Amino acid sequence: MEDYTLPFWIYLCVLTVFIGGAMKKILASHLSTAPTLVAWLGATVLVERLWAFCLPAVLLLVLLGLACCIYLAARTRPPPAALPAHGKAVFITGCDSGFGNAAAKRLDALGFEVFATVLDLSGDGARELQRICSPRLTLLQVDITQPQQVQQALLDTKAKLGLRGLWGLVNNAGICVNIGDAELSLMSNFRGCMEVNFFGTVNVTKTFLPLLRQAKGRLITISSPAGDQPFPCLAAYGASKAALNLFINTLRHELELWGVRVSTILPGSYKTGQSSNHAYWEQQHKQLLQNLSPALLEDYGEDYVNETKELFQSHAKQANPDFSPVIDTIVQALLAPQPQVRYFAGPGLGLVYFIHNYCPFSISNHFLKKLFVKKKLMPRALRKQSGFNLNLNLHNNNNEEKLK
């Protein structure tokens, strides 16, 4: 062992810290089987180094056996019993459709006292909740971008709760307006996403936090992987979710002293809200074309903008109509004795985050482009430039042949 130089030991320590940190992060994230297998392969590389360079075989076998016993004990230990739902009150935003509507029905069926906000009390989603759910469910008409309506919802909730606190706040309401390149996205798109996804959610959270602190309850926010990763053509939506993620993560630290548990849920691709509404996206697309400057439309081309719309609609058609993974996660975050900080709700998300966190930037960047919007057309100006360069090269080649 004395033959090994100082750089070798530095290298071995760095490798140990890196592999150990990656293992801890991956296993704690409850990712899918493939990334976990990659993590164990990394650990195997470390073990191989230790075996070859500095540990007797017997000691190594003892360490491996001990590590396996600890790991298997942790995996086979039965999870702690869930908390009872009876007597607990939950406030959910955005229950007209999608996750909010499904969550309100599930939580009501479990015995929660549910306060469900909708934009339209006479809409299909509100009528469905009134028809299906028990008298424990209270419908409130709330636009979360309107502070007066949020304050009124607080008064109505307090009136029903009496001296009790609020066990759960589920921030679900959100919008995703017309997608497209950031330069093509209207400022109204950016403002609209920020008003609902960030400012509206911040206002609801701040308004109801005193009730959550009183009950030492749970703050649960439905966010998006687009807030962590730069998905092409989702700049407005992703920016609003990124701001929301930072706000929620800050609250997680600040509310720990109050006994309030804070969780973020990151769903995969699901058919929610207007995502599968063809008429809605056609109207958004028409509005975009009408408001783009002629010069910008000339540079990108109407066919380029049309392709983006068609690709997004194709992606929306393939989205998962079954909300149960997300709803199961909401229930778990509300009732688990030790809820997780982050939940990945949907197949494939573990792999997406593994590539984003651990692979080189060039690989993760290429993966995102292939995963979401697989564009084939270049902007019109670039196509013209490519054609001009091709013609120029052909012309130069012909001149060179004549000189010969």
Side-chain angles (χ1 to χ4, degrees):
M1 291 178 64
E2 61 275 6
D3 296 336
Y4 299 111
T5 62
L6 181 62
F8 164 76
W9 291 111
I10 294 175
Y11 161 76
L12 193 61
C13 289
V14 171
L15 182 65
T16 304
V17 171
F18 175 78
I19 295 296
M23 284 285 296
K24 180 180 178 182
K25 190 171 183 180
I26 292 170
L27 295 176
S29 299
H30 300 274
L31 300 182
S32 58
T33 306
T36 305
L37 179 60
V38 173
W40 278 112
L41 289 175
T44 303
V45 172
L46 176 61
V47 168
E48 184 271 333
R49 292 283 181 175
L50 294 173
W51 181 296
F53 293 114
C54 58
L55 280 183
V58 175
L59 178 58
L60 180 62
L61 288 175
V62 171
L63 289 175
L64 279 175
L66 183 61
C68 288
C69 289
I70 294 173
Y71 176 75
L72 289 174
R75 297 283 287 186
T76 56
R77 186 185 303 139
L83 302 174
H86 180 72
K88 291 182 171 63
V90 179
F91 188 94
I92 313 174
T93 62
C95 296
D96 296 86
S97 62
F99 299 145
N101 188 275
K105 287 185 273 191
R106 173 77 72 83
L107 296 180
D108 177 76
L110 288 174
F112 282 97
E113 182 178 356
V114 177
F115 296 87
T117 76
V118 293
L119 285 173
D120 184 5
L121 282 174
S122 61
D124 293 339
R127 290 201 300 268
E128 182 185 20
L129 289 176
Q130 286 176 323
R131 185 178 69 253
I132 292 176
C133 295
S134 72
R136 290 190 307 275
L137 183 134
T138 301
L139 281 175
L140 301 169
Q141 184 164 315
V142 180
D143 179 347
I144 67 170
T145 65
Q146 302 299 315
Q148 301 89 344
Q149 295 185 25
V150 174
Q151 283 295 326
Q152 186 58 52
L154 174 65
L155 295 176
D156 294 340
T157 303
K158 278 184 171 181
K160 282 226 168 187
L161 288 177
L163 298 177
R164 293 181 296 145
L166 183 69
W167 174 255
L169 170 61
V170 181
N171 285 320
N172 167 72
I175 61 167
C176 178
V177 291
N178 190 70
I179 68 165
D181 295 55
E183 188 179 11
L184 296 176
S185 298
L186 305 176
M187 285 306 299
S188 60
N189 297 153
F190 285 93
R191 292 191 180 98
C193 283
M194 289 299 291
E195 281 296 331
V196 178
N197 300 340
F198 181 66
F199 291 116
T201 303
V202 168
N203 186 33
V204 170
T205 303
K206 285 171 62 65
T207 300
F208 283 86
L209 268 181
L211 293 180
L212 278 181
R213 289 191 288 104
Q214 181 184 341
K216 296 186 177 180
R218 307 289 170 86
L219 172 60
I220 299 165
T221 301
I222 311 296
S223 187
S224 168
D228 293 325
Q229 304 179 39
F231 282 87
C233 297
L234 280 180
Y237 178 72
S240 67
K241 290 294 188 178
L244 178 62
N245 288 348
L246 184 60
F247 171 72
I248 295 298
N249 286 334
T250 303
L251 274 182
R252 177 167 50 85
H253 296 294
E254 297 171 349
L255 294 176
E256 187 175 359
L257 293 173
W258 295 92
V260 176
R261 303 298 184 90
V262 179
S263 298
T264 301
I265 296 175
L266 301 161
S269 180
Y270 291 90
K271 289 185 178 179
T272 61
Q274 301 284 4
S275 64
S276 56
N277 186 337
H278 181 78
Y280 172 81
W281 290 109
E282 287 294 337
Q283 187 267 332
Q284 291 286 320
H285 177 68
K286 183 179 178 181
Q287 181 184 1
L288 175 65
L289 292 177
Q290 289 173 346
N291 287 277
L292 281 179
S293 68
L296 202 55
L297 188 57
E298 174 63 26
D299 281 345
Y300 278 88
E302 190 170 337
D303 55 349
Y304 180 88
V305 180
N306 286 336
E307 184 194 39
T308 303
K309 177 201 68 174
E310 291 168 0
L311 286 171
F312 176 74
Q313 289 180 334
S314 174
H315 181 81
K317 288 178 182 177
Q318 299 170 8
N320 190 353
D322 179 17
F323 300 152
S324 58
V326 179
I327 309 307
D328 292 343
T329 303
I330 292 174
V331 173
Q332 185 179 351
L334 284 169
L335 295 180
Q338 299 292 331
Q340 297 175 32
V341 171
R342 278 192 155 199
Y343 291 92
F344 298 120
L349 276 180
L351 178 61
V352 171
Y353 271 85
F354 177 81
I355 292 175
H356 176 70
N357 289 331
Y358 298 107
C359 290
F361 172 77
S362 57
I363 295 176
S364 63
N365 191 48
H366 180 75
F367 179 75
L368 280 184
K369 289 180 179 179
K370 295 297 182 182
L371 177 69
F372 187 56
V373 179
K374 305 173 186 177
K375 294 193 68 65
K376 296 178 181 178
L377 283 177
M378 288 194 304
R380 179 185 292 163
L382 294 180
R383 279 176 273 159
K384 287 183 178 180
Q385 183 179 337
S386 298
F388 174 78
N389 290 337
L390 180 61
N391 291 333
L392 184 63
N393 290 335
L394 290 174
H395 178 72
N396 291 337
N397 290 337
N398 289 335
N399 289 339
E400 288 176 3
E401 289 178 2
K402 288 178 180 178
L403 288 175
K404 292 177 181 178

